[in-house]
Amino acid sequence: MEEIFEKISDSELEVMKVLWASAEALPVSVLRQTLRASQGWEATTVKTLVQRLCAKGAVTQEKRKIFYYRAAVSQTDYNSWAARSLVSKLYQGRASNLVAALVDSKGLSADDIAELKAMFEKF
């Protein structure tokens, strides 16, 4: 699964976000419309990105009268991988270094800190 995640580009991730937000498979026309509004992308760009994601195994297609697309990987799994990858690449594999950087840069609100304390107390 991780090999799929590593291959997803930033642009492809925008397509994945649209698919993750939908409970159902989507036709390419809905993907085009949504991504044109949010990203300004042309139909050919969306089609190319969807085809790449299918080739990578991140998206599946199903033929009805037209093709419908759905994410083959979950957003939760992708987000977990992305967090681990970020910590590994930038913070020497230590999540505490990430938290320290957020605290030092005032990147955590009081609500964030309270939420983190509550999570840690559960362990």
Side-chain angles (χ1 to χ4, degrees):
M1 187 78 60
E2 288 191 11
E3 60 275 357
I4 293 172
F5 296 149
E6 292 172 353
K7 295 177 184 178
I8 296 175
S9 70
D10 290 345
S11 296
E12 292 165 345
L13 184 57
E14 293 303 317
V15 176
M16 295 300 296
K17 288 176 184 177
V18 174
L19 293 170
W20 285 327
S22 176
E24 301 177 4
L26 297 175
V28 76
S29 61
V30 171
L31 289 169
R32 283 194 309 250
Q33 179 182 5
T34 304
L35 291 164
R36 182 176 185 88
S38 66
Q39 304 296 320
W41 292 343
E42 296 298 326
T44 54
T45 300
V46 175
K47 183 179 178 184
T48 298
L49 292 170
V50 170
Q51 288 173 339
R52 287 180 186 168
L53 286 165
C54 286
K56 293 174 182 180
V59 169
T60 59
Q61 68 178 10
E62 51 192 71
K63 177 83 168 155
R64 298 179 189 171
K65 290 184 181 181
I66 58 172
F67 284 110
Y68 281 73
Y69 299 91
R70 110 175 32 251
V73 296
S74 77
Q75 185 173 16
T76 301
D77 288 345
Y78 180 83
N79 288 348
S80 293
W81 169 84
R84 287 189 313 274
S85 179
L86 175 73
V87 168
S88 177
K89 286 180 187 177
L90 300 180
Y91 298 100
Q92 297 77 43
R94 299 198 46 170
S96 60
N97 291 345
L98 168 62
V99 174
L102 290 170
V103 169
D104 288 345
S105 68
K106 298 185 180 10
L108 294 174
S109 69
D111 288 343
D112 292 333
I113 292 169
E115 193 174 330
L116 286 169
K117 281 183 184 178
M119 280 187 230
F120 288 130
E121 287 172 0
K122 287 182 182 177
F123 296 108

